[in-house]
Amino acid sequence: MAQAGRRWQRSLFPWLLSWGCAQCTTDPCVFTAERKIDGKPQRLIIGCYVDDLFTLYSDDSPGSLYESFTSDLAARWNVEDEGPVSDLLNVDISRDADHVLLQQH
């Protein structure tokens, strides 16, 4: 199963592009999507690492870009939302209403 992550990316990346995401030119595993919903700009930043997705979003209310993305993703694949990320690549992540703190040990 050493190639499972690569196979996942070969399926996921075209889907992200067809969904309207733009692939980052400096890191091909990062995608962005921006849309106005009810006149309000919303943005997603999606990072893919092996078989995990990390999604940053500006709004998660009903009808939001994030909700649309996660709903469409779940309709295509059997995915599981593991909640807010607390660590990524040996970096601890904590947040409050106004700040995000990254700590590397």
Side-chain angles (χ1 to χ4, degrees):
M1 293 300 285
Q3 294 295 316
R6 179 73 181 127
R7 273 181 275 169
W8 160 240
Q9 289 177 0
R10 285 198 319 245
S11 178
L12 174 68
F13 287 12
W15 182 85
L16 288 169
L17 294 170
S18 72
W19 198 82
C21 294
Q23 192 169 24
C24 180
T25 57
T26 55
D27 188 336
C29 293
V30 176
F31 294 80
T32 60
E34 296 183 54
R35 295 188 191 142
K36 281 191 177 180
I37 297 179
D38 295 330
K40 180 178 155 189
Q42 295 187 22
R43 171 185 277 185
L44 294 177
I45 301 172
I46 303 151
C48 180
Y49 181 73
V50 187
D51 63 350
D52 288 323
L53 290 180
F54 302 91
T55 308
L56 304 169
Y57 48 89
S58 57
D59 184 349
D60 66 349
S61 64
S64 68
L65 182 60
Y66 174 75
E67 182 188 59
S68 176
F69 173 75
T70 56
S71 175
D72 291 349
L73 186 71
R76 174 67 174 89
W77 290 285
N78 182 20
V79 295
E80 182 178 331
D81 184 347
E82 295 183 358
V85 64
S86 60
D87 63 274
L88 174 63
L89 301 175
N90 206 29
V91 175
D92 292 333
I93 303 167
S94 59
R95 66 191 64 72
D96 62 27
D98 299 316
H99 304 91
V100 175
L101 178 64
L102 307 176
Q103 292 181 301
Q104 189 170 16
H105 298 276

XYZ file of all heavy atoms in Angstrom:
838
model
N 0.821 -1.205 0.000
C 0.000 0.000 0.000
C 0.861 1.264 0.000
O 0.374 2.334 0.288
C -0.925 0.006 1.205
C -1.992 -1.073 1.201
S -3.104 -1.003 -0.196
C -4.116 0.366 0.244
N 2.125 1.143 -0.332
C 2.999 2.312 -0.346
C 2.535 3.364 -1.346
O 2.850 4.535 -1.193
C 4.434 1.894 -0.649
N 1.793 2.975 -2.367
C 1.334 3.912 -3.388
C -0.095 4.402 -3.149
O -0.640 5.127 -3.979
C 1.446 3.264 -4.770
C 2.870 3.001 -5.193
C 3.656 4.285 -5.366
O 3.176 5.248 -5.950
N 4.848 4.314 -4.810
N -0.714 4.033 -2.041
C -2.114 4.407 -1.798
C -2.302 5.918 -1.771
O -3.267 6.435 -2.336
C -2.604 3.780 -0.492
N -1.395 6.641 -1.145
C -1.482 8.094 -1.105
C -1.398 8.712 -2.485
O -2.127 9.644 -2.819
N -0.522 8.183 -3.315
C -0.366 8.681 -4.684
C -1.616 8.411 -5.512
O -2.075 9.262 -6.273
C 0.867 8.035 -5.336
C 1.096 8.454 -6.752
C 1.619 9.880 -6.824
N 1.810 10.255 -8.213
C 1.308 11.335 -8.759
N 0.623 12.179 -8.022
N 1.503 11.613 -10.012
N -2.199 7.226 -5.357
C -3.438 6.909 -6.078
C -4.571 7.830 -5.643
O -5.380 8.268 -6.461
C -3.824 5.455 -5.873
C -3.141 4.548 -6.888
C -3.554 3.138 -6.690
N -2.616 2.713 -5.652
C -2.660 1.620 -4.953
N -3.606 0.784 -5.122
N -1.776 1.325 -4.056
N -4.631 8.106 -4.342
C -5.645 9.024 -3.809
C -5.468 10.405 -4.429
O -6.426 11.021 -4.884
C -5.539 9.060 -2.290
C -6.142 10.227 -1.591
C -5.492 11.120 -0.801
C -7.519 10.627 -1.549
N -6.365 12.046 -0.296
C -7.617 11.757 -0.747
C -8.675 10.127 -2.146
C -8.820 12.419 -0.498
C -9.879 10.793 -1.901
C -9.936 11.907 -1.080
N -4.228 10.889 -4.498
C -3.982 12.204 -5.082
C -4.347 12.233 -6.568
O -4.869 13.233 -7.057
C -2.534 12.617 -4.877
C -2.222 12.948 -3.435
C -0.764 13.301 -3.218
O 0.037 13.305 -4.141
N -0.418 13.614 -1.983
N -4.086 11.150 -7.295
C -4.425 11.115 -8.719
C -5.933 11.163 -8.939
O -6.396 11.546 -10.008
C -3.817 9.889 -9.388
C -2.334 10.043 -9.614
C -1.780 9.062 -10.635
N -2.297 7.719 -10.536
C -1.597 6.644 -10.217
N -0.304 6.758 -9.952
N -2.155 5.465 -10.177
N -6.698 10.771 -7.961
C -8.153 10.868 -8.040
C -8.646 12.208 -7.492
O -9.526 12.846 -8.075
C -8.775 9.717 -7.250
O -10.161 9.781 -7.249
N -8.059 12.631 -6.375
C -8.500 13.848 -5.693
C -8.164 15.117 -6.465
O -9.006 16.002 -6.621
C -7.871 13.924 -4.299
C -8.138 15.216 -3.523
C -9.610 15.306 -3.137
C -7.245 15.282 -2.289
N -6.930 15.251 -6.951
C -6.499 16.508 -7.554
C -7.363 16.916 -8.745
O -7.803 18.070 -8.818
C -5.023 16.459 -7.927
C -4.083 16.526 -6.732
C -4.522 16.373 -5.431
C -2.739 16.730 -6.930
C -3.659 16.425 -4.348
C -1.856 16.787 -5.857
C -2.318 16.634 -4.562
N -7.666 16.017 -9.694
C -8.560 16.412 -10.791
C -9.956 16.817 -10.290
O -10.576 17.728 -10.834
C -8.628 15.170 -11.678
C -7.378 14.423 -11.373
C -7.109 14.677 -9.924
N -10.431 16.128 -9.250
C -11.737 16.487 -8.697
C -11.705 17.890 -8.110
O -12.626 18.681 -8.328
C -12.170 15.463 -7.637
C -13.535 15.758 -7.075
C -14.728 15.375 -7.603
C -13.825 16.513 -5.902
N -15.762 15.844 -6.822
C -15.229 16.554 -5.769
C -13.053 17.169 -4.952
C -15.875 17.213 -4.731
C -13.691 17.830 -3.908
C -15.084 17.844 -3.803
N -10.658 18.225 -7.356
C -10.530 19.573 -6.788
C -10.520 20.629 -7.889
O -11.177 21.664 -7.776
C -9.257 19.685 -5.937
C -9.279 18.942 -4.603
C -7.885 18.906 -3.980
C -10.281 19.560 -3.646
N -9.788 20.376 -8.956
C -9.737 21.324 -10.070
C -11.110 21.466 -10.721
O -11.541 22.585 -11.027
C -8.684 20.902 -11.084
C -7.237 20.948 -10.576
C -6.301 20.276 -11.571
C -6.803 22.376 -10.278
N -11.814 20.353 -10.909
C -13.141 20.420 -11.521
C -14.147 21.092 -10.592
O -15.132 21.672 -11.051
C -13.630 19.027 -11.926
O -13.967 18.259 -10.792
N -13.906 21.048 -9.292
C -14.780 21.692 -8.319
C -14.589 23.208 -8.323
O -15.398 23.944 -7.795
C -14.524 21.112 -6.928
C -15.636 21.383 -5.959
C -16.799 20.696 -5.832
C -15.677 22.430 -4.982
N -17.566 21.247 -4.836
C -16.901 22.319 -4.301
C -14.810 23.454 -4.634
C -17.293 23.182 -3.287
C -15.189 24.325 -3.615
C -16.409 24.184 -2.946
N -13.506 23.651 -8.953
C -13.251 25.088 -9.045
C -12.077 25.567 -8.225
O -11.848 26.773 -8.106
N -11.314 24.649 -7.678
C -10.129 25.029 -6.909
C -8.979 25.363 -7.857
O -8.907 24.848 -8.965
C -9.698 23.883 -5.991
S -10.874 23.514 -4.688
N -8.090 26.212 -7.379
C -6.857 26.521 -8.097
C -5.714 25.846 -7.354
O -5.647 25.889 -6.117
C -6.629 28.028 -8.149
N -4.821 25.216 -8.102
C -3.674 24.541 -7.497
C -2.551 25.556 -7.318
O -2.235 26.326 -8.223
C -3.223 23.396 -8.394
C -2.243 22.461 -7.746
C -2.034 21.202 -8.590
O -2.250 21.190 -9.794
N -1.628 20.135 -7.936
N -1.955 25.561 -6.144
C -0.862 26.473 -5.825
C 0.340 26.165 -6.723
O 0.685 25.008 -6.932
C -0.493 26.308 -4.355
S 0.831 27.366 -3.784
N 0.989 27.203 -7.246
C 2.135 26.993 -8.128
C 3.398 26.633 -7.355
O 4.276 25.979 -7.902
C 2.411 28.243 -8.981
O 2.608 29.362 -8.112
C 1.250 28.519 -9.920
N 3.482 27.017 -6.087
C 4.691 26.726 -5.313
C 4.592 25.436 -4.502
O 5.607 24.912 -4.078
C 5.033 27.894 -4.368
O 3.896 28.166 -3.540
C 5.418 29.127 -5.166
N 3.374 24.952 -4.262
C 3.169 23.679 -3.565
C 1.978 22.985 -4.199
O 0.829 23.370 -3.950
C 2.933 23.891 -2.077
C 2.899 22.591 -1.296
O 2.598 21.529 -1.901
O 3.138 22.617 -0.085
N 2.213 21.980 -5.023
C 1.112 21.344 -5.749
C 0.121 20.590 -4.871
O -0.907 20.134 -5.369
C 1.821 20.402 -6.720
C 3.147 20.147 -6.104
C 3.507 21.386 -5.347
N 0.389 20.480 -3.577
C -0.538 19.809 -2.660
C -1.448 20.794 -1.938
O -2.167 20.420 -1.006
C 0.235 18.970 -1.650
S 1.075 17.575 -2.420
N -1.420 22.062 -2.358
C -2.264 23.096 -1.757
C -3.182 23.666 -2.837
O -2.732 23.981 -3.942
C -1.417 24.219 -1.121
C -2.302 25.342 -0.593
C -0.543 23.657 0.001
N -4.456 23.782 -2.496
C -5.469 24.301 -3.411
C -6.241 25.411 -2.717
O -6.367 25.409 -1.493
C -6.451 23.193 -3.802
C -5.832 22.099 -4.614
C -5.091 21.096 -4.014
C -5.997 22.070 -5.990
C -4.515 20.078 -4.761
C -5.417 21.058 -6.747
C -4.674 20.068 -6.134
N -6.760 26.357 -3.504
C -7.598 27.416 -2.953
C -8.885 27.509 -3.761
O -8.923 27.175 -4.944
C -6.892 28.781 -2.984
O -6.567 29.114 -4.339
C -5.634 28.775 -2.129
N -9.923 27.959 -3.096
C -11.198 28.230 -3.758
C -11.758 29.499 -3.146
O -11.691 29.690 -1.931
C -12.169 27.069 -3.569
N -12.279 30.369 -4.001
C -12.894 31.616 -3.544
C -14.192 31.828 -4.300
O -14.239 31.651 -5.513
C -11.960 32.795 -3.783
C -10.671 32.716 -2.992
C -9.796 33.934 -3.196
O -10.296 35.051 -2.993
O -8.633 33.751 -3.562
N -15.223 32.185 -3.552
C -16.519 32.492 -4.161
C -17.235 33.513 -3.301
O -17.007 33.594 -2.098
C -17.394 31.239 -4.263
C -16.845 30.197 -5.183
C -17.828 29.081 -5.404
N -17.126 27.984 -6.082
C -17.322 26.717 -5.849
N -18.200 26.334 -4.953
N -16.657 25.789 -6.510
N -18.110 34.256 -3.931
C -19.005 35.129 -3.174
C -20.305 34.372 -2.960
O -20.886 33.834 -3.898
C -19.273 36.424 -3.938
C -18.162 37.422 -3.821
C -18.585 38.760 -4.357
C -17.444 39.738 -4.133
N -17.793 41.065 -4.626
N -20.727 34.328 -1.726
C -21.990 33.699 -1.371
C -22.810 34.743 -0.632
O -22.351 35.298 0.376
C -21.774 32.425 -0.522
C -20.991 31.405 -1.359
C -23.098 31.869 -0.030
C -20.682 30.117 -0.671
N -23.981 35.045 -1.171
C -24.824 36.127 -0.640
C -24.043 37.435 -0.565
O -24.158 38.189 0.403
C -25.396 35.755 0.738
C -26.340 34.570 0.670
O -26.995 34.397 -0.376
O -26.413 33.816 1.664
N -23.210 37.688 -1.580
C -22.450 38.927 -1.654
C -21.234 38.991 -0.751
O -20.520 39.981 -0.732
N -20.984 37.923 -0.014
C -19.871 37.907 0.947
C -18.769 36.993 0.425
O -19.019 35.820 0.136
C -20.395 37.393 2.288
C -19.378 37.324 3.386
C -20.043 36.843 4.666
C -19.035 36.206 5.570
N -19.647 35.549 6.716
N -17.530 37.494 0.290
C -16.446 36.634 -0.196
C -16.089 35.551 0.830
O -16.010 35.816 2.025
C -15.276 37.590 -0.410
C -15.585 38.789 0.412
C -17.075 38.845 0.572
N -15.917 34.337 0.326
C -15.508 33.220 1.176
C -14.335 32.523 0.519
O -14.233 32.477 -0.702
C -16.666 32.244 1.383
C -17.809 32.854 2.151
C -18.868 31.849 2.508
O -18.631 30.642 2.551
N -20.067 32.326 2.800
N -13.452 31.985 1.341
C -12.245 31.338 0.840
C -12.005 30.028 1.561
O -12.233 29.908 2.755
C -11.044 32.255 1.050
C -9.722 31.569 0.743
C -8.560 32.428 1.071
N -8.355 33.313 -0.053
C -7.344 34.154 -0.143
N -6.492 34.255 0.833
N -7.189 34.903 -1.197
N -11.504 29.061 0.783
C -11.018 27.799 1.328
C -9.555 27.653 0.941
O -9.169 28.003 -0.175
C -11.748 26.599 0.720
C -13.216 26.395 0.979
C -13.702 25.173 0.199
C -13.477 26.190 2.447
N -8.770 27.119 1.841
C -7.412 26.687 1.541
C -7.355 25.225 1.936
O -7.660 24.872 3.084
C -6.358 27.506 2.299
C -6.482 28.985 1.952
C -4.949 26.986 1.978
C -5.620 29.906 2.787
N -7.025 24.371 0.976
C -7.063 22.922 1.181
C -5.662 22.369 1.003
O -5.039 22.569 -0.043
C -8.016 22.259 0.173
C -9.408 22.884 0.299
C -8.056 20.751 0.370
C -10.200 22.872 -0.969
N -5.158 21.722 2.030
C -3.854 21.074 1.960
C -4.031 19.565 1.953
O -4.874 19.032 2.671
N -3.266 18.901 1.124
C -3.330 17.441 1.032
C -1.972 16.876 1.434
O -0.943 17.271 0.884
C -3.671 17.031 -0.399
S -3.766 15.252 -0.636
N -1.973 15.996 2.416
C -0.752 15.334 2.848
C -1.022 13.834 2.895
O -1.826 13.381 3.706
C -0.288 15.852 4.211
C 0.991 15.213 4.673
C 2.199 15.546 4.081
C 0.983 14.248 5.666
C 3.376 14.945 4.489
C 2.154 13.641 6.085
C 3.349 13.991 5.492
O 4.511 13.386 5.892
N -0.419 13.089 2.002
C -0.628 11.651 1.821
C -2.123 11.401 1.612
O -2.642 11.689 0.543
C -0.014 10.808 2.950
C -0.109 9.326 2.640
C 1.438 11.195 3.219
N -2.838 10.919 2.636
C -4.272 10.677 2.456
C -5.122 11.530 3.393
O -6.268 11.225 3.659
C -4.595 9.193 2.629
C -4.275 8.692 4.026
O -3.643 9.433 4.795
O -4.650 7.558 4.348
N -4.563 12.638 3.884
C -5.290 13.552 4.761
C -5.510 14.881 4.058
O -4.653 15.350 3.303
C -4.507 13.819 6.050
C -4.486 12.631 6.979
O -5.520 11.928 7.053
O -3.460 12.404 7.629
N -6.660 15.510 4.341
C -6.947 16.856 3.870
C -7.060 17.775 5.079
O -7.663 17.405 6.090
C -8.275 16.910 3.113
C -8.357 16.239 1.769
C -9.751 16.415 1.187
C -7.330 16.809 0.823
N -6.493 18.953 4.950
C -6.606 19.978 5.977
C -7.239 21.175 5.303
O -6.728 21.671 4.307
C -5.236 20.334 6.553
C -4.546 19.140 7.147
C -3.700 18.352 6.385
C -4.774 18.791 8.459
C -3.081 17.242 6.917
C -4.152 17.671 9.007
C -3.301 16.901 8.233
N -8.376 21.615 5.834
C -9.124 22.685 5.195
C -9.220 23.884 6.122
O -9.694 23.769 7.250
C -10.536 22.199 4.822
O -10.429 20.997 4.067
C -11.270 23.232 4.014
N -8.770 25.021 5.623
C -8.934 26.295 6.317
C -10.075 27.014 5.631
O -10.155 27.027 4.400
C -7.661 27.135 6.229
C -6.392 26.478 6.749
C -5.180 27.302 6.364
C -6.466 26.307 8.246
N -10.954 27.636 6.398
C -12.122 28.274 5.807
C -12.472 29.534 6.568
O -12.135 29.701 7.738
C -13.312 27.302 5.790
C -13.556 26.607 7.107
C -14.371 27.174 8.075
C -12.940 25.384 7.390
C -14.574 26.546 9.282
C -13.147 24.749 8.596
C -13.970 25.330 9.544
O -14.165 24.710 10.747
N -13.169 30.436 5.876
C -13.557 31.698 6.486
C -14.954 31.656 7.095
O -15.304 32.519 7.889
C -13.476 32.825 5.449
O -14.287 32.529 4.329
N -15.756 30.655 6.726
C -17.141 30.590 7.195
C -17.611 29.140 7.102
O -17.415 28.496 6.075
C -18.004 31.484 6.302
C -19.459 31.582 6.730
O -19.903 30.799 7.607
O -20.175 32.429 6.182
N -18.219 28.636 8.167
C -18.740 27.272 8.115
C -20.243 27.214 8.393
O -20.781 26.179 8.722
C -17.983 26.347 9.064
C -18.175 26.698 10.533
O -18.729 27.787 10.817
O -17.784 25.900 11.393
N -20.905 28.341 8.210
C -22.346 28.383 8.449
C -23.100 27.620 7.354
O -22.541 27.332 6.294
C -22.821 29.834 8.514
O -22.613 30.462 7.260
N -24.367 27.291 7.589
C -25.154 26.609 6.552
C -25.142 27.418 5.248
O -25.292 28.642 5.260
C -26.560 26.539 7.160
C -26.320 26.558 8.639
C -25.129 27.470 8.828
N -24.930 26.722 4.147
C -24.874 27.375 2.843
C -23.522 27.964 2.485
O -23.355 28.547 1.415
N -22.539 27.801 3.362
C -21.209 28.378 3.128
C -20.427 27.572 2.098
O -20.779 26.437 1.757
C -20.417 28.424 4.439
O -20.109 27.103 4.876
N -19.345 28.152 1.608
C -18.455 27.472 0.685
C -17.888 26.212 1.335
O -17.805 25.156 0.705
C -17.330 28.416 0.250
C -16.324 27.897 -0.764
C -17.008 27.502 -2.062
C -15.250 28.951 -1.024
N -17.510 26.299 2.600
C -16.982 25.142 3.323
C -18.016 24.018 3.387
O -17.712 22.863 3.126
C -16.550 25.543 4.735
C -16.139 24.372 5.589
C -14.919 23.746 5.386
C -16.975 23.883 6.585
C -14.534 22.652 6.163
C -16.596 22.800 7.363
C -15.381 22.189 7.151
O -15.010 21.106 7.912
N -19.260 24.364 3.711
C -20.301 23.343 3.792
C -20.532 22.700 2.425
O -20.669 21.474 2.314
C -21.609 23.937 4.314
C -22.682 22.876 4.461
C -24.033 23.451 4.795
O -24.550 24.263 4.005
O -24.557 23.068 5.842
N -20.532 23.502 1.383
C -20.704 22.968 0.032
C -19.556 22.031 -0.332
O -19.778 20.942 -0.873
C -20.781 24.133 -0.961
O -20.844 23.665 -2.270
N -18.329 22.443 -0.013
C -17.159 21.619 -0.307
C -17.213 20.288 0.425
O -17.053 19.225 -0.180
C -15.879 22.372 0.061
C -14.643 21.542 -0.057
C -14.112 21.248 -1.302
C -14.008 21.041 1.073
C -12.973 20.459 -1.422
C -12.876 20.262 0.956
C -12.357 19.967 -0.290
N -17.454 20.323 1.734
C -17.456 19.078 2.508
C -18.615 18.171 2.100
O -18.466 16.956 2.078
C -17.470 19.348 4.023
O -18.602 20.174 4.352
C -16.196 20.037 4.474
N -19.750 18.748 1.750
C -20.883 17.953 1.294
C -20.567 17.267 -0.038
O -20.830 16.067 -0.203
C -22.107 18.867 1.145
O -23.187 18.164 0.600
N -19.984 18.015 -0.978
C -19.631 17.431 -2.274
C -18.526 16.393 -2.137
O -18.544 15.357 -2.805
C -19.205 18.526 -3.253
C -20.365 19.416 -3.672
O -21.532 19.076 -3.375
O -20.105 20.462 -4.292
N -17.570 16.652 -1.261
C -16.486 15.702 -1.015
C -17.046 14.389 -0.456
O -16.689 13.302 -0.908
C -15.475 16.314 -0.047
C -14.200 15.547 0.231
C -13.283 15.559 -0.991
C -13.472 16.156 1.428
N -17.946 14.496 0.510
C -18.546 13.307 1.131
C -19.455 12.554 0.153
O -19.608 11.343 0.266
C -19.327 13.702 2.377
N -20.037 13.267 -0.808
C -20.869 12.606 -1.816
C -20.002 11.794 -2.787
O -20.461 10.808 -3.352
C -21.692 13.635 -2.584
N -18.740 12.197 -2.940
C -17.835 11.527 -3.880
C -17.060 10.386 -3.220
O -16.836 9.358 -3.809
C -16.877 12.570 -4.472
C -15.782 12.047 -5.352
C -16.355 11.468 -6.656
N -15.300 11.097 -7.578
C -14.707 9.909 -7.606
N -15.036 8.990 -6.744
N -13.773 9.648 -8.485
N -16.607 10.599 -1.983
C -15.793 9.604 -1.278
C -16.316 9.387 0.135
O -16.985 10.249 0.700
C -14.334 10.066 -1.169
C -13.601 10.069 -2.447
C -13.120 8.988 -3.116
C -13.246 11.202 -3.225
N -12.479 9.392 -4.265
C -12.538 10.747 -4.356
C -13.445 12.572 -3.083
C -12.047 11.596 -5.333
C -12.963 13.424 -4.051
C -12.275 12.929 -5.160
N -15.944 8.286 0.724
C -16.253 8.002 2.113
C -15.200 8.714 2.965
O -14.089 8.222 3.128
C -16.234 6.490 2.357
C -16.588 6.146 3.771
O -17.194 6.936 4.490
N -16.203 4.962 4.194
N -15.535 9.888 3.464
C -14.580 10.684 4.239
C -15.080 10.843 5.670
O -16.266 10.703 5.949
C -14.356 12.082 3.599
C -13.690 11.963 2.247
C -15.652 12.851 3.484
N -14.156 11.158 6.542
C -14.475 11.349 7.948
C -13.895 12.668 8.415
O -12.702 12.931 8.243
C -13.868 10.205 8.767
C -14.178 10.267 10.227
C -13.594 9.087 10.980
O -13.444 8.006 10.395
O -13.271 9.263 12.165
N -14.734 13.516 8.995
C -14.275 14.783 9.558
C -13.773 14.509 10.969
O -14.542 14.102 11.840
C -15.420 15.787 9.584
C -14.990 17.163 10.070
O -13.874 17.307 10.623
O -15.775 18.109 9.893
N -12.488 14.694 11.170
C -11.893 14.422 12.486
C -11.825 15.670 13.354
O -11.146 15.689 14.368
C -10.518 13.792 12.300
C -10.606 12.431 11.643
C -9.271 11.738 11.501
O -8.233 12.325 11.886
O -9.261 10.596 11.012
N -12.525 16.724 12.955
C -12.592 17.938 13.759
C -11.378 18.823 13.558
O -10.546 18.585 12.686
N -11.277 19.856 14.379
C -10.164 20.803 14.247
C -8.811 20.108 14.410
O -8.633 19.251 15.273
C -10.390 21.799 15.387
C -11.848 21.684 15.698
C -12.210 20.249 15.429
N -7.880 20.489 13.561
C -6.538 19.915 13.611
C -5.812 20.443 14.857
O -5.934 21.619 15.203
C -5.758 20.213 12.308
C -5.529 21.691 12.120
C -4.453 19.456 12.264
N -5.095 19.552 15.531
C -4.325 19.974 16.711
C -2.822 19.819 16.486
O -2.029 20.375 17.235
C -4.762 19.181 17.938
O -4.557 17.795 17.723
N -2.447 19.037 15.462
C -1.033 18.920 15.119
C -0.916 18.545 13.646
O -1.756 17.851 13.104
C -0.314 17.897 15.999
C -0.859 16.507 15.816
O -1.850 16.162 16.480
O -0.297 15.756 15.002
N 0.137 19.034 13.042
C 0.378 18.781 11.623
C 1.883 18.799 11.399
O 2.544 19.793 11.681
C -0.300 19.857 10.772
C -0.039 19.849 9.278
C -0.577 18.566 8.653
C -0.674 21.056 8.624
N 2.418 17.681 10.932
C 3.846 17.582 10.622
C 4.724 18.055 11.779
O 5.627 18.866 11.614
C 4.166 18.362 9.344
C 3.397 17.902 8.098
C 3.691 18.826 6.932
C 3.722 16.465 7.750
N 4.413 17.570 12.975
C 5.175 17.865 14.181
C 5.055 19.321 14.648
O 5.925 19.829 15.338
C 6.654 17.479 14.018
C 7.303 17.182 15.353
O 6.636 16.753 16.294
N 8.591 17.423 15.446
N 3.974 19.983 14.255
C 3.684 21.339 14.729
C 2.358 21.276 15.478
O 1.348 20.822 14.936
C 3.597 22.342 13.559
C 3.176 23.721 14.055
C 4.925 22.422 12.817
N 2.368 21.729 16.745
C 1.137 21.789 17.533
C 0.375 23.050 17.147
O 0.965 24.120 17.001
C 1.450 21.820 19.025
C 2.042 20.517 19.526
O 1.759 19.464 18.916
O 2.785 20.540 20.525
N -0.936 22.902 17.013
C -1.787 24.010 16.587
C -2.859 24.226 17.644
O -3.582 23.298 17.999
C -2.450 23.700 15.227
C -1.377 23.408 14.183
C -3.352 24.850 14.799
C -1.906 22.801 12.912
N -2.939 25.442 18.154
C -4.019 25.793 19.079
C -4.606 27.120 18.617
O -3.965 27.898 17.925
C -3.509 25.876 20.524
O -2.480 26.831 20.636
N -5.850 27.354 18.993
C -6.525 28.555 18.528
C -7.517 29.050 19.562
O -7.991 28.293 20.399
C -7.225 28.287 17.195
C -8.357 27.302 17.304
C -8.919 26.802 16.011
N -8.054 26.040 15.159
C -7.642 24.796 15.380
N -7.988 24.186 16.489
N -6.891 24.157 14.533
N -7.799 30.344 19.468
C -8.920 30.924 20.192
C -9.671 31.797 19.187
O -9.413 31.704 17.985
C -8.460 31.691 21.446
C -7.559 32.874 21.149
O -7.648 33.451 20.046
O -6.759 33.244 22.025
N -10.561 32.628 19.646
C -11.397 33.403 18.725
C -10.592 34.357 17.838
O -11.003 34.662 16.724
C -12.449 34.184 19.515
N -9.435 34.804 18.320
C -8.680 35.829 17.587
C -7.305 35.391 17.109
O -6.662 36.119 16.348
C -8.488 37.068 18.481
C -9.798 37.686 18.892
O -10.689 37.820 18.022
O -9.957 38.009 20.082
N -6.806 34.227 17.544
C -5.434 33.865 17.257
C -5.276 32.380 16.930
O -6.061 31.555 17.384
C -4.528 34.149 18.468
C -4.589 35.561 18.918
N -5.488 36.001 19.872
C -3.867 36.640 18.536
C -5.298 37.288 20.076
N -4.332 37.708 19.269
N -4.236 32.097 16.175
C -3.793 30.724 15.954
C -2.348 30.664 16.418
O -1.538 31.517 16.044
C -3.899 30.319 14.469
C -3.316 28.938 14.249
C -5.338 30.369 13.994
N -2.014 29.701 17.263
C -0.654 29.533 17.775
C -0.051 28.259 17.223
O -0.651 27.188 17.332
C -0.676 29.481 19.311
C 0.673 29.266 20.002
C 1.620 30.427 19.730
C 0.476 29.061 21.491
N 1.109 28.370 16.604
C 1.856 27.229 16.083
C 3.100 27.057 16.931
O 3.839 28.006 17.144
C 2.242 27.463 14.628
C 1.130 27.840 13.653
C 1.709 28.137 12.285
C 0.111 26.717 13.562
N 3.322 25.835 17.411
C 4.499 25.544 18.236
C 5.156 24.276 17.723
O 4.502 23.245 17.592
C 4.122 25.347 19.694
C 3.644 26.604 20.373
C 3.309 26.313 21.814
O 2.473 25.480 22.112
N 3.967 27.029 22.717
N 6.451 24.381 17.467
C 7.194 23.201 17.035
C 8.100 22.766 18.171
O 8.773 23.564 18.795
C 8.034 23.515 15.794
C 8.642 22.302 15.186
C 9.268 22.590 13.826
O 9.491 23.731 13.475
N 9.547 21.543 13.082
N 8.106 21.470 18.428
C 8.914 20.944 19.539
C 10.136 20.228 19.005
O 10.194 19.693 17.980
C 8.095 19.961 20.382
C 6.913 20.626 20.999
N 6.963 21.326 22.180
C 5.618 20.755 20.572
C 5.773 21.808 22.466
N 4.932 21.478 21.500
